[in-house]
Amino acid sequence: MHLFFKYGLLTLLWVQCLCSVVFAVEPTRDATQTILLLNSYHRGFKWSDDITDAVLTGFRDSSRYRLCVEYMDSKRFQTPLFFQELQSLYRHKFSQFPVDAIICSDNNALDFIINHGDSIWGKVPVVFCGINVVEQYRQRLDTLRFTGVEERIGVKRTLQVAKAMQPSLKEFIVIGDKTLMYPLFREQFLEGIRESGLDIGYREVIVETPEQLQAAFANQDLTDKAVYLFSLYLNNNGFVREMAIEARGLFKDLHVPVYSNWDFLIPDLIVGGALESGLVQGEMASDIMKQRLCHRVQSMPFAVPAPHQMMFDHEQLNRFSIDHRLLPADKIIFNKDKGIFARYKTEMIIIVGFLVSLVCIIVLLVSVILFRQRAERELIESETRLELALEGANQGLWDIDVLSGSMYVNPQVAWLLGYSSPKELGLQLEKWRNLIHPNDLSQLMETLLLHQSKRADFLSCEVRMKTCQGTYRWVSLHGKITGWDNDTPVRYTGSLLDIDAQKEFENQLRLAKEKAEESDRLKTSFLANMSHEIRTPMNAILGFADLVTTDLLSEDERRDYLLQIKSSGESLLNLINDIIDISKIESGQLVIVPEHFSVERLLEKVERVGQTLIRNAKKDLSLSIVSQGGVGGVIYSDSMRLEQVILNLLTNSIKFTHCGEIVIRYGFIDDNHLKFWVRDTGIGIAEEYKKVIFERFRQGDESLAKQYGGNGLGLTISRSLVKMLGGDMEVTSTPGQGSEFVFSIRTVPAEVMV
């Protein structure tokens, strides 16, 4: 028996080695096996999420399997470069993380495994699901290694059910898209038309955006028509969004039934049909994979078709007045009306819970109030002399009786906090903390504990107290414990003095000191930056000038070096001009010289300069200038300074934008103000740097300043010039998405001046 077991085990191991050509090397039954679930689409797409949930549920009850889930996102990204990068990513990611088997969902994932899977994961068993037109794969694949679930969309049965529910139906409007899957769906639709034998016409509409979908139904007679939806994505302003999300709003006001073949389009979008379910596909795929890994069967069919489910939306059936008796017997109806308790179960639980909590709170508050009323007693003491002295010194008096819970303050305290009388202040012992600034409360409590423990003779600290206007005033708080009961303080008495003016003076001194230090730091940084900015072009000028003097240069080299000298000289001149401009602006010597000029001609010049800068920078940028209307002829302003501002903003956009577009828009916002918008798709500006970029010598993030260069004066000069031209400048930006600088100048169109 022992020998039989020994040789039987050796024989089994030998068979496993022979099968490794097909299935790769599999671990023993007791080892944990790693299964990769490769989804064609992205996380959040209902179809992929249903398959993923079903597969995870199928393997959740066993510790023998470890699942790894990947999303290719191929529905939204379909370029060859994307798949090439995806291949590199998976090869690197799984180089040290081998898998024992793969479950793939939908055609793109299966195609990827066929083309690249062996080089990335090896020849491991593959179970597919959600595959359309599976016969095209049978001749290409090893059917011993590949098996799975076929997605045969139930077009024929859906057409027959639609015709039965709408006897007058004459035409289907087929909504498709330009994805790789739509041609497969279209062929299956045409085959379903032929096999159904129905005399129904169809009209094909290819849409990519919500606007195209709306335009397809604009001014159309939809009588005796229905929609057959195959497009599952729409491009909304550059973002690819699911049709299941976008179309619910688009079809809301469209009185035409919509049919399709996927269950994630229910509820509130399609009437129904013979629907494919991602959950069913995932469950079947996980069952097949477990059978394969456990070797429960010797051979398996190449593809098993998933059963259709006849699903319908109750609300959509009622919306189009479809008789429920016309539905097939195996129907499943969603979105049925619920009873009032089931419909508002959560809300009712919340309301009941809130009412119970409210009753408890009310009972608690009533108990506290009754307790306070029983415990309170009025304390009357004569403090006439002290009150007179405090009034003369303009000091507030406070007195706290802990046992009675009463708190007395004189009129000076109320006046200090902006109230007309202590009664209006209404200060109570349990609410005195509300008057103290939260940041000062811990300091006050620490001082009070020191005095209570007799480590300090007096209570003395400076705190901020809240006024009736909601602001805070600084006061100097002094006092001591004037009553004890067995080493327990029962009475506190003291005074407070207004020191808000003193604190404001101290704060101004501190701000002035910080501003001086910041100014000194900025000047030092500016000098260091200017030293670098001046030294760089000077080194280039001197270096290339020295090379030009030699006789060993060719004519082309000499011309190139002279151009480098010219470029460095222009950079140095621009830097000097910026320094001169900021000096003139700060000293008030810069003068605005208005004249009549054409905005269009000025912007044509700006566009030529911008195109030259883009070419020199060798960037993939587009520059466009757009008129908002209302600008024509000649205006009256300083053309040179306006051009300087626009060129500064354009230069910055080119510097900080690697690809995309730069758009300059302009137009009159009223008869006296001309407005400009300069928008780019660059790196953007973080929120914390939006306020400092207009300050002298500041460039926001210093790391970016070192990377891109610059002296930190361009925006300062531009904003100052705009203000001198009678306007102002603002910026809106999102990091990673771009920036938009907006400014306006005061001017008068020439036709208005005449």
Side-chain angles (χ1 to χ4, degrees):
M1 191 70 181
H2 175 72
L3 292 175
F4 177 78
F5 177 79
K6 177 179 179 181
Y7 287 108
L9 180 61
L10 290 175
T11 302
L12 179 61
L13 292 175
W14 176 248
V15 172
Q16 280 190 320
C17 292
L18 291 177
C19 292
S20 63
V21 176
V22 178
F23 297 114
V25 178
E26 293 189 351
T28 63
R29 292 179 61 87
D30 295 330
T32 300
Q33 294 179 298
T34 301
I35 302 172
L36 169 64
L37 173 57
L38 184 63
N39 287 295
S40 294
Y41 310 138
H42 59 277
R43 186 192 302 273
F45 183 40
K46 187 64 167 53
W47 174 262
S48 295
D49 288 348
D50 285 348
I51 292 177
T52 301
D53 291 343
V55 172
L56 292 176
T57 301
F59 287 95
R60 185 171 297 158
D61 58 348
S62 176
S63 60
R64 295 184 54 244
Y65 305 106
R66 177 174 55 245
L67 263 70
C68 175
V69 182
E70 293 289 341
Y71 295 88
M72 292 175 58
D73 206 358
S74 62
K75 181 71 75 172
R76 299 186 292 188
F77 304 98
Q78 304 182 15
T79 63
L81 179 60
F82 173 76
F83 287 106
Q84 182 179 351
E85 293 297 328
L86 201 61
Q87 178 185 355
S88 301
L89 172 65
Y90 288 157
R91 180 172 287 109
H92 175 75
K93 185 173 184 179
F94 291 95
S95 60
Q96 303 298 325
F97 185 63
V99 299
D100 300 297
I102 299 175
I103 298 176
C104 64
S105 68
D106 298 287
N107 295 63
N108 291 342
L110 181 58
D111 291 336
F112 187 85
I113 291 174
I114 293 172
N115 296 326
H116 312 293
D118 291 355
S119 63
I120 299 175
W121 298 289
K123 294 185 176 182
V124 298
V126 177
V127 174
F128 54 79
C129 64
I131 302 301
N132 291 276
V133 194
V134 72
E135 289 302 321
Q136 68 179 357
Y137 293 100
R138 188 182 297 274
Q139 301 301 324
R140 301 168 54 193
L141 299 177
D142 180 358
T143 57
L144 294 178
R145 178 185 168 200
F146 288 83
T147 185
V149 186
E150 180 182 3
E151 179 188 351
R152 295 180 184 174
I153 59 175
V155 175
K156 174 183 175 181
R157 195 172 182 194
T158 301
L159 292 172
Q160 292 172 339
V161 169
K163 181 63 176 178
M165 293 189 300
Q166 295 178 253
S168 60
L169 181 61
K170 296 179 180 178
E171 182 184 54
F172 272 107
I173 302 174
V174 181
I175 304 298
D177 54 28
K178 294 185 178 181
T179 62
L180 299 177
M181 295 304 302
Y182 175 64
L184 299 178
F185 297 151
R186 183 177 182 275
E187 289 298 324
Q188 294 183 52
F189 175 79
L190 296 178
E191 181 181 353
I193 285 283
R194 290 192 300 270
E195 293 180 354
S196 66
L198 299 176
D199 184 18
I200 300 179
Y202 72 92
R203 175 165 56 91
E204 186 178 12
V205 178
I206 304 299
V207 299
E208 292 185 281
T209 65
E211 292 76 17
Q212 292 176 352
L213 184 60
Q214 289 178 323
F217 297 100
N219 302 321
Q220 296 289 326
D221 181 11
L222 301 177
T223 305
D224 298 334
K225 292 181 175 61
V227 172
Y228 209 117
L229 183 61
F230 283 118
S231 175
L232 302 180
Y233 280 85
L234 285 177
N235 189 324
N236 194 339
N237 295 325
F239 294 93
V240 180
R241 291 174 58 85
E242 296 178 31
M243 176 69 75
I245 298 174
E246 290 287 331
R248 281 183 168 87
L250 297 174
F251 284 110
K252 181 178 180 182
D253 299 323
L254 189 65
H255 198 76
V256 60
V258 182
Y259 298 90
S260 191
N261 293 105
W262 293 276
D263 65 345
F264 57 81
L265 299 176
I266 283 183
D268 300 330
L269 178 56
I270 66 173
V271 172
L275 304 187
E276 289 284 344
S277 171
L279 290 173
V280 173
Q281 293 270 337
E283 290 172 359
M284 295 179 65
S286 61
D287 289 341
I288 293 173
M289 178 57 77
K290 283 191 289 187
Q291 294 178 31
R292 166 152 289 185
L293 293 179
C294 295
H295 307 294
R296 295 177 181 171
V297 293
Q298 297 299 324
S299 63
M300 303 184 71
F302 177 67
V304 180
H308 298 139
Q309 294 179 304
M310 298 304 296
M311 301 181 185
F312 299 92
D313 186 336
H314 184 272
E315 292 293 334
Q316 295 294 318
L317 292 172
N318 291 344
R319 177 185 176 190
F320 297 107
S321 302
I322 297 176
D323 190 349
H324 290 216
R325 293 174 296 180
L326 300 176
L327 300 178
D330 57 344
K331 62 184 178 297
I332 301 175
I333 299 180
F334 294 89
N335 214 12
K336 291 184 179 180
D337 291 334
K338 300 179 180 179
I340 186 169
F341 179 77
R343 186 182 305 174
Y344 301 106
K345 179 179 179 181
T346 303
E347 291 81 356
M348 293 178 70
I349 292 175
I350 293 174
I351 293 173
V352 171
F354 175 76
L355 292 176
V356 172
S357 301
L358 186 61
V359 170
C360 293
I361 292 173
I362 292 174
V363 171
L364 179 61
L365 290 176
V366 170
S367 300
V368 171
I369 293 173
L370 292 176
F371 175 77
R372 291 298 183 186
Q373 287 178 346
R374 289 193 302 267
E376 284 183 356
R377 60 186 177 85
E378 186 176 359
L379 176 64
I380 303 176
E381 293 186 8
S382 176
E383 297 176 343
T384 305
R385 292 182 181 179
L386 181 58
E387 284 290 342
L388 292 174
L390 292 174
E391 289 179 8
N394 195 27
Q395 284 189 336
L397 172 68
W398 52 271
D399 187 17
I400 301 174
D401 189 335
V402 179
L403 295 178
S404 65
S406 63
M407 185 172 186
Y408 167 79
V409 294
N410 68 345
Q412 278 71 24
V413 174
W415 299 339
L416 176 65
L417 299 180
Y419 297 92
S420 59
S421 65
K423 184 177 181 181
E424 183 182 354
L425 175 59
L427 188 59
Q428 300 177 17
L429 180 59
E430 62 269 18
K431 296 183 179 180
W432 68 270
R433 296 170 182 260
N434 297 337
L435 289 178
I436 307 299
H437 194 284
N439 294 341
D440 300 334
L441 190 57
S442 60
Q443 176 190 354
L444 176 59
M445 296 304 298
E446 182 180 356
T447 304
L448 182 60
L449 290 174
L450 287 174
H451 181 47
Q452 288 179 351
S453 61
K454 299 182 180 180
R455 286 182 289 176
D457 295 333
F458 298 94
L459 168 67
S460 180
C461 64
E462 296 177 350
V463 298
R464 286 163 288 183
M465 296 188 69
K466 192 174 184 179
T467 67
C468 66
Q469 293 83 13
T471 60
Y472 287 90
R473 293 185 68 86
W474 279 100
V475 298
S476 178
L477 187 65
H478 303 275
K480 66 179 299 183
I481 300 173
T482 56
W484 294 85
D485 183 9
N486 296 327
D487 293 331
T488 300
V490 295
R491 185 173 181 179
Y492 301 84
T493 306
S495 64
L496 54 84
L497 179 66
D498 182 14
I499 59 169
D500 197 66
Q502 174 186 337
K503 283 291 184 179
E504 179 63 24
F505 179 71
E506 293 174 357
N507 187 52
Q508 292 297 329
L509 288 178
R510 179 182 59 79
L511 292 177
K513 177 176 176 295
E514 292 176 354
K515 187 174 182 180
E517 292 174 349
E518 176 69 8
S519 178
D520 183 66
R521 187 189 69 79
L522 289 177
K523 287 182 179 179
T524 302
S525 175
F526 173 72
L527 291 176
N529 190 29
M530 288 303 100
S531 174
H532 172 75
E533 293 290 336
I534 294 175
R535 187 163 54 248
T536 299
M538 283 299 297
N539 287 337
I541 293 172
L542 294 176
F544 285 112
D546 185 58
L547 292 174
V548 169
T549 58
T550 65
D551 297 330
L552 302 178
L553 299 176
S554 64
E555 189 63 28
D556 291 338
E557 290 176 330
R558 191 181 304 278
R559 184 182 300 105
D560 182 57
Y561 291 164
L562 289 174
L563 290 175
Q564 294 290 345
I565 293 173
K566 180 177 180 295
S567 176
S568 299
E570 291 174 349
S571 299
L572 185 60
L573 179 61
N574 290 334
L575 178 61
I576 294 173
N577 286 337
D578 284 347
I579 297 175
I580 292 174
D581 284 343
I582 195 66
S583 300
K584 286 184 177 181
I585 290 172
E586 292 189 349
S587 63
Q589 295 180 0
L590 192 144
V591 179
I592 296 298
V593 182
E595 60 180 343
H596 295 89
F597 66 96
S598 170
V599 180
E600 285 82 359
R601 291 183 180 177
L602 185 146
L603 291 175
E604 288 175 0
K605 179 180 178 183
V606 169
E607 184 178 15
R608 288 195 298 271
V609 174
Q611 297 291 358
T612 301
L613 293 175
I614 292 173
R615 286 195 301 272
N616 293 339
K618 298 179 180 180
K619 292 187 175 182
D620 185 15
L621 292 175
S622 65
L623 173 62
S624 58
I625 299 178
V626 181
S627 172
Q628 297 292 97
V631 181
V634 180
I635 66 170
Y636 187 70
S637 185
D638 191 329
S639 62
M640 183 183 73
R641 296 305 177 184
L642 177 58
E643 179 182 357
Q644 182 179 355
V645 172
I646 300 175
L647 282 177
N648 274 345
L649 297 179
L650 178 59
T651 303
N652 277 351
S653 293
I654 295 173
K655 180 192 297 184
F656 295 108
T657 304
H658 301 293
C659 63
E661 63 175 357
I662 301 173
V663 180
I664 301 177
R665 297 184 292 118
Y666 66 99
F668 273 102
I669 56 177
D670 55 42
D671 292 338
N672 298 318
H673 290 87
L674 180 61
K675 195 167 186 177
F676 293 83
W677 295 264
V678 181
R679 179 177 59 82
D680 62 57
T681 57
I683 63 175
I685 304 169
E687 188 66 30
E688 61 268 24
Y689 297 128
K690 290 182 181 179
K691 294 182 179 180
V692 302
I693 58 174
F694 293 109
E695 298 180 10
R696 295 178 305 159
F697 320 132
R698 299 293 294 269
Q699 292 178 274
D701 191 345
E702 294 184 0
S703 63
L704 293 177
K706 293 179 181 179
Q707 178 181 355
Y708 292 95
N711 52 49
L713 294 177
L715 289 177
T716 305
I717 294 172
S718 298
R719 192 175 195 180
S720 299
L721 291 176
V722 168
K723 288 184 177 180
M724 296 178 70
L725 292 173
D728 202 353
M729 180 181 293
E730 298 176 348
V731 61
T732 57
S733 179
T734 302
Q737 298 184 13
S739 305
E740 183 177 51
F741 286 83
V742 182
F743 70 92
S744 61
I745 63 171
R746 184 176 179 83
T747 183
V748 179
E751 57 268 20
V752 176
M753 296 179 59
V754 177

